[in-house]
Amino acid sequence: QVQLVESGGGLVQAGGSLRLSCAASGRTFSTYTMGWFRQVPGKEREFVAIINGSPSNTYYADSVKGRFTVSRDNAKNTLYLQMNSVKPEDTAVYSCAATARGLRFAPAHYDYWGQGTQVTVSS
């Protein structure tokens, strides 16, 4: 069992930065592939960024590549998403998720989810 709690969401102006955190419980955090996903009302949840357990390879959606950076601190059981040069279209509820199934991009393959944190980008 893994419990995930996100923090760091809020209101930010376009072009600004925001850092999301996801604190995980459990002693096996380093073995999980961790992902950030986002969802807006009326649309399906979409992949934003993923980081493997080890080695910590990273993968990004084209829409955020070059602007967002995913990282993890296994000693602190924490996942991060640094969001730079944000755009109004980045507005969404952002959720972190964990899977023990290896590298996965589809939300359906993730077994553990946080409650989500709202990010709103004003123009």
Side-chain angles (χ1 to χ4, degrees), residues 9 12 42 44 50 66 105 110:
V12 60
E44 291 188 355
I50 287 170
F105 294 89
Y110 282 73

Side-chain angles (χ1 to χ4, degrees), residues 9-13 18 88 90-92 118-122:
L11 176 65
V12 60
Q13 286 191 330
L18 207 60
D90 293 323
T91 296
Q118 176 70 46
V119 172
T120 302
V121 182
S122 63

